[in-house]
Amino acid sequence: GAGVSQSPSNKVTEKGKDVELRCDPISGHTALYWYRQSLGQGLEFLIYFQGNSAPDKSGLPSDRFSAERTGGSVSTLTIQRTQQEDSAVYLCASSYRQGGSYGYTFGSGTRLTVV
Amino acid sequence: SQKIEQNSEALNIQEGKTATLTCNYTNYSPAYLQWYRQDPGRGPVFLLLIRENEKEKRKERLKVTFDTTLKQSLFHITASQPADSATYLCALLMDTGRRALTFGSGTRLQVQP
């Protein structure tokens, strides 16, 4: 597609439920990133995929968070046993080169609300 | 520790004036620095990249400077317009080995007509 697509755009879930967030990067972009942004806050790095290399998971806040990228394209971020502090906008980005020296292209995000 | 700092207070200016936003970083030497624009409810949009060996970069009404001695980047919008109102984020690769950008918290710009 022309841009990075994320779904759903909004998700309301009950505390303790699992959620899956999806990201469709730009075709041909080898690098894919997940960030989250809490209200009025900056972007917090979560995880980074580059080609077939092992992902950099150093930003995941707990073992309730996991992500995978199938076939070097679509990525899914899974949050298990959601907590209220997980409420945030989850942003996915892709880039042509590792390290983003050509800039990242972001999706519009998934707004997650845990009630 | 390594930090990126942007003025958290909103910048309010009159239409037609030049807006100047600041990004300061500490304790490392990035190979390049990027600026993004973020509108409410949207993801950030890449604007400009400036490398450590470049003092200045221009794109239309935008100008970015990069002073590696002061560890500072300035982002200028000349002849500002109300449509320039948004939050502007700077981003760098930190020398932690992580190959993903670290973003500043952004500065909100409001251009009054």
Side-chain angles (χ1 to χ4, degrees):
Chain A
V4 175
S5 177
Q6 291 188 246
S7 60
S9 54
N10 281 284
K11 176 73 176 178
V12 180
T13 190
E14 292 182 350
K15 178 181 173 181
K17 300 284 190 183
D18 298 352
V19 294
E20 282 190 354
L21 313 180
R22 177 187 166 104
C23 173
D24 249 302
I26 291 175
S27 177
H29 279 191
T30 58
L32 186 147
Y33 315 82
W34 283 97
Y35 288 82
R36 74 176 175 182
Q37 188 172 33
S38 301
L39 189 62
Q41 302 298 310
L43 276 69
E44 176 189 3
F45 168 77
L46 296 176
I47 189 169
Y48 158 57
F49 296 89
Q50 169 59 43
N52 295 321
S53 303
D56 177 352
K57 305 179 182 180
S58 60
L60 295 179
S62 78
D63 59 8
R64 296 186 295 105
F65 288 71
S66 63
E68 62 177 22
R69 188 179 185 191
T70 53
S73 181
V74 171
S75 177
T76 303
L77 177 69
T78 302
I79 309 174
Q80 296 179 309
R81 305 181 302 282
T82 51
Q83 304 294 313
Q84 288 187 328
E85 62 262 29
D86 300 334
S87 296
V89 176
Y90 289 81
L91 290 161
C92 174
S94 67
S95 70
Y96 178 64
R97 288 284 189 91
Q98 181 181 10
S101 58
Y102 293 85
Y104 291 6
T105 302
F106 281 87
S108 291
T110 294
R111 180 175 298 277
L112 175 66
T113 304
V114 181
V115 296
Chain B
S1 64
Q2 300 175 349
K3 290 195 303 184
I4 303 171
E5 293 181 340
Q6 294 186 257
N7 193 341
S8 59
E9 292 184 18
L11 177 63
N12 291 287
I13 64 168
Q14 286 296 122
E15 183 176 6
K17 301 292 186 184
T18 295
T20 298
L21 288 74
T22 304
C23 176
N24 294 298
Y25 57 94
T26 59
N27 298 338
Y28 56 101
S29 301
Y32 56 79
L33 183 148
Q34 302 187 13
W35 283 90
Y36 289 76
R37 167 183 173 142
Q38 187 174 23
D39 292 284
R42 308 300 299 270
V45 174
F46 172 71
L47 296 175
L48 280 169
L49 177 150
I50 185 164
R51 300 186 185 280
E52 60 179 342
N53 60 349
E54 298 175 313
K55 295 295 185 189
E56 182 179 297
K57 197 82 165 281
R58 292 176 184 261
K59 179 182 177 182
E60 298 173 353
R61 294 184 297 109
L62 308 181
K63 185 179 85 170
V64 172
T65 63
F66 195 12
D67 189 324
T68 54
T69 300
L70 290 179
K71 297 189 184 296
Q72 180 181 79
S73 176
L74 298 178
F75 177 83
H76 307 272
I77 305 175
T78 58
S80 60
Q81 305 167 359
D84 296 326
S85 299
T87 296
Y88 292 86
L89 309 168
C90 66
L92 312 94
L93 273 185
M94 302 174 81
D95 62 359
T96 57
R98 174 181 293 168
R99 302 305 296 172
L101 292 173
T102 297
F103 286 80
S105 56
T107 298
R108 189 164 61 87
L109 172 66
Q110 187 69 40
V111 181
Q112 306 291 345

